[in-house]
Amino acid sequence: MQTWKHNLTPGAKAGDVDGQSSPSGRRAFLKAGATAAVGLALPPLITGAAATAAPRPIGGQQEPFRGPIDDQPISLEFAQRRWNELGIGDERGALREITPEKTTNALRMLHKGTAHVYDLGDKMFPGVPAFPSAPPRRWDMYITWYDLGGENRLTGLEERFAAMTFQVGTQIDNLNHIGIDDHYYGGFTRDDLLPMPELVDPASRAAKATQDSQADHHGPGSILRGCPHLGAEHIGPIVTRGVLVDVLAYMQCHGRHEALSEGRDTLAPNYRITIQDIEATLGWEGISRLDPGDVVIFRTGWNKLWADSALWSRYLSSEPGIWLAEARWLAQFRPAIVGGDTWGLEVFPSPVPTRFGEPHQLLLAQEGIRIGEGYVTDGLSEAGKYEFVFIDTPQHAVGATATHNGPAAIATS
């Protein structure tokens, strides 16, 4: 595979206008021929130890990741050094990179042409496929009916949940979701975050929650509360630049059949998206830069399996995605969110059978970069829109480890 180089400069100045693609674009790039250079250069991969710095204030932009771009295992010692750089006690993480200037620059992409809105959210319904756990992850909704009375014969319907979690479907994984041992982003520990930490067994916690709910017990001593730190209430509305890394379309266009499934409508199960794949895809799209505060979304086609219940076992048993070197490569640009159209973002099963979920640990727990899962990007791909305004208004679910909402992309024709 030929790798095209890009001027993806980590830590771009806040005053730079976001969303400025290479003027060539994908069409011009393709027209120039397969051997044409696009005049862009990657930053050198930093191979030395991460530079140490004094603790940073919790406000404002944060110190970008500097360290080896490799697959070395996650280190709690290195993560603790990063928390000192990013801010002990910080609860916002890389969302701090979405400054008013960042949002303003993103919206400037819409000043010409007609705006089109693309729905990035999957439909939610009882029985949706979810990674297995005990108690199981479910989104089991039912509808109740009320005869509310009055001469006007008022009746009403309302939804209730027999079982529900935000950790299924289109979601933003929050910073309290994943830890390194008992340590979480910002230097918090499990006991700092977990209500009633003396109850460890999930079944015991579920039984206590049912008991407290039935007793309408929400006060002191109740388990019915979220994490006191790092909760979803710290996310807030998001309006920023989005970048679609359409790896699937790139592989299809270039006949990279070894990267594709048998039907060639998705990436192959367990296909690892490499740094070279990311570089080549961005160059083909005409994307010349990734900036702090961006939302970077990978398209693999895996969401097609969500729509067919006969394929759910395949959907959950594996997925294409990135691994540690790619997560470190992305982290140097300080994106606010790294997401994809799969249920877990990273390649599964893991390239190393004895290690599980390390890209989640690196992005969430070490770097404070949230993870988006279950995004539907087919509409953007069909329209050839690789830069857009990303918008989401997550629920202020106090203490939650993830949040639902229907994210959207806005791009001009």
Side-chain angles (χ1 to χ4, degrees), residues 77-359:
E77 179 183 7
F78 186 88
Q80 289 170 328
R81 290 167 57 189
R82 286 295 288 148
W83 300 334
N84 278 316
E85 294 173 347
L86 298 170
I88 295 294
D90 175 33
E91 302 193 57
R92 289 270 290 161
L95 287 176
R96 295 194 176 280
E97 306 292 347
I98 305 178
T99 62
E101 293 79 13
K102 175 73 177 179
T103 297
T104 300
N105 288 334
L107 292 172
R108 285 175 180 159
M109 291 191 287
L110 306 179
H111 76 287
K112 291 183 179 179
T114 302
H116 297 266
V117 179
Y118 302 85
D119 186 357
L120 302 181
D122 245 327
K123 293 179 175 63
M124 296 296 294
F125 49 87
V128 295
F131 193 76
S133 63
R137 291 179 171 182
R138 290 176 178 162
W139 199 91
D140 288 350
M141 185 184 79
Y142 65 98
I143 301 296
T144 61
W145 179 84
Y146 297 98
D147 182 353
L148 300 172
E151 293 182 359
N152 55 323
R153 301 179 63 183
L154 180 67
T155 64
L157 304 176
E158 288 186 0
E159 65 283 333
R160 294 291 184 270
F161 289 92
M164 189 265 193
T165 176
F166 291 128
Q167 290 287 348
V168 62
T170 307
Q171 62 184 272
I172 297 176
D173 271 353
N174 201 29
L175 303 183
N176 53 344
H177 176 42
I178 294 293
I180 303 172
D181 197 5
D182 286 340
H183 299 266
Y184 291 74
Y185 176 76
F188 295 101
T189 67
R190 186 196 74 122
D191 288 354
D192 292 329
L193 302 180
L194 186 65
M196 301 188 70
E198 67 275 10
L199 283 180
V200 176
D201 177 59
S204 300
R205 297 186 65 81
K208 172 63 173 168
T210 300
Q211 177 186 358
D212 285 357
S213 178
Q214 292 174 346
D216 197 22
H217 175 32
H218 303 91
S222 171
I223 201 172
L224 297 176
R225 57 188 188 277
C227 298
H229 303 285
L230 297 178
E233 72 274 19
H234 296 289
I235 298 177
I238 300 170
V239 180
T240 190
R241 177 189 182 228
V243 174
L244 176 64
V245 188
D246 197 345
V247 182
L248 173 61
Y250 174 83
M251 297 300 182
Q252 291 170 328
C253 182
H254 290 78
R256 290 279 308 279
H257 302 318
E258 80 283 359
L260 299 171
S261 63
E262 184 176 346
R264 298 180 183 174
D265 57 344
T266 72
L267 291 186
N270 198 223
Y271 179 79
R272 175 175 175 171
I273 299 171
T274 65
I275 295 173
Q276 290 74 26
D277 292 338
I278 301 171
E279 294 170 359
T281 301
L282 290 173
W284 175 69
E285 295 173 344
I287 302 294
S288 62
R289 57 191 288 172
L290 297 177
D291 290 331
D294 285 348
V295 173
V296 181
I297 302 176
F298 289 89
R299 178 171 179 260
T300 71
W302 212 243
N303 60 288
K304 292 179 175 65
L305 307 183
W306 172 281
D308 186 350
S309 59
L311 300 176
W312 285 355
S313 60
R314 178 184 164 197
Y315 175 79
L316 292 172
S317 63
S318 64
E319 66 176 8
I322 64 171
W323 189 240
L324 275 169
E326 295 76 36
R328 289 182 168 114
W329 186 87
L330 289 161
Q332 67 183 324
F333 304 109
R334 277 319 272 162
I337 299 172
V338 175
D341 58 2
T342 60
W343 53 262
L345 177 65
E346 60 208 51
V347 61
F348 182 82
S350 162
V352 182
T354 57
R355 288 153 54 188
F356 173 72
E358 284 190 288

Side-chain angles (χ1 to χ4, degrees), residues 356-373:
F356 173 72
E358 284 190 288
H360 267 63
Q361 288 180 307
L362 189 141
L363 292 172
L364 291 169
Q366 177 179 298
E367 295 297 320
I369 297 170
R370 286 167 176 82
I371 292 175
E373 296 168 347

